[in-house]
Amino acid sequence: MVGNDVIIPKGLIEDLVKPVPANTRYVKCGPVTFGVEFRELNARVIKENYGHDVEAMKFFEPMMNIDDIGVTLHVYSTDDSLEHLRFDAFGDKPHLHYHYILPDGSHRKLDYDFAACGDMIPWAMRTMVERLPEMLREAKATEVADRVDVDEVQKIAPTIIEMASRMLADRSAARLDEPRAEPEMT
C-alpha cells in the first residue's frame, strides 16, 4: 500500500491545509463524518497556508514546483469534528495522513502505491469498510473506533465514491479551461 513513511515535523499538524468549505461535501455515518473535497496543491496553496511560518516554508521548499489536483477524503469524529484520517488522492503524489501526534509532536504521512493498489478512492473506501476501526485506533481515536458500524460505512461507500468521481471529473474539466500560471518562486 505504501512507499515512503514521512514524518511531518512538529507544528505542521495544526496547520495542515484546511478543507475549503465550498469544495467539500460532508456525509455523516454515525460516529464518523466523511468529507469529500476537491483540492489542489501548488505553490499558491502552500504559501497561503504556511507562508507565515519560516520553518514550514523550509520544509516545503523542495515541493514548491508541485501543481497537483485530486479528491481528498477526510474522516472526522462526528461529535467534535476532529480529523483523524485524510486520504489525498492526488494525481501525481497520492498519500494518506494519520492524524495523531507522535511523542515529538510530528505526525505520519504515507505515500500511496498506485501501481499496487489502483485508484485511491475505491481503495480507500474498501479499506475503510474492512478496517476503519483499526485505522482509527492507529490514529489514536479509540473511542470513535469502538462505535463505528462498518455495515453503515459499507452502505454509504458507493455514494462517496460516486461523489468523489463526479467532483473530480467536474473540477478537472473546469481546470482544463483555465489558463495555467507558472508557480511563483520566492
Side-chain angles (χ1 to χ4, degrees), residues 46-120:
I46 291 170
K47 287 178 185 175
E48 285 175 2
N49 284 270
Y50 301 106
H52 64 282
D53 184 333
V54 173
E55 290 301 311
M57 290 306 292
K58 285 180 189 174
F59 176 80
F60 285 109
E61 188 174 347
M63 298 175 235
M64 293 304 282
N65 64 348
I66 193 167
D67 187 17
D68 210 353
I69 62 170
V71 173
T72 294
L73 298 180
H74 305 271
V75 181
Y76 303 95
S77 49
T78 300
D79 293 343
D80 58 15
S81 301
L82 288 176
E83 184 177 31
H84 300 289
L85 300 168
R86 180 184 291 189
F87 299 84
D88 285 322
F90 295 132
D92 292 333
K93 303 278 186 193
H95 55 275
L96 158 68
H97 294 267
Y98 275 97
H99 289 260
Y100 62 88
I101 305 292
L102 295 171
D104 69 352
S106 57
H107 82 280
R108 289 175 62 200
K109 177 184 94 50
L110 304 164
D111 289 340
Y112 179 76
D113 186 342
F114 183 85
C117 302
D119 185 46
M120 188 179 196

Side-chain angles (χ1 to χ4, degrees), residues 134-162:
E134 291 82 0
M135 294 180 82
L136 287 167
R137 286 185 187 93
E138 180 71 15
K140 310 296 186 226
T142 304
E143 291 180 17
V144 177
D146 290 344
R147 298 180 314 170
V148 167
D149 181 343
V150 292
D151 291 333
E152 291 301 313
V153 176
Q154 185 171 15
K155 287 178 188 174
I156 67 161
T159 300
I160 291 174
I161 292 169
E162 172 60 29

Side-chain angles (χ1 to χ4, degrees), residues 1 87 122-132 135:
M1 175 338 256
F87 299 84
W123 173 88
M125 290 311 303
R126 188 172 54 252
T127 301
M128 286 191 276
V129 165
E130 296 170 1
R131 306 211 38 90
L132 183 58
M135 294 180 82

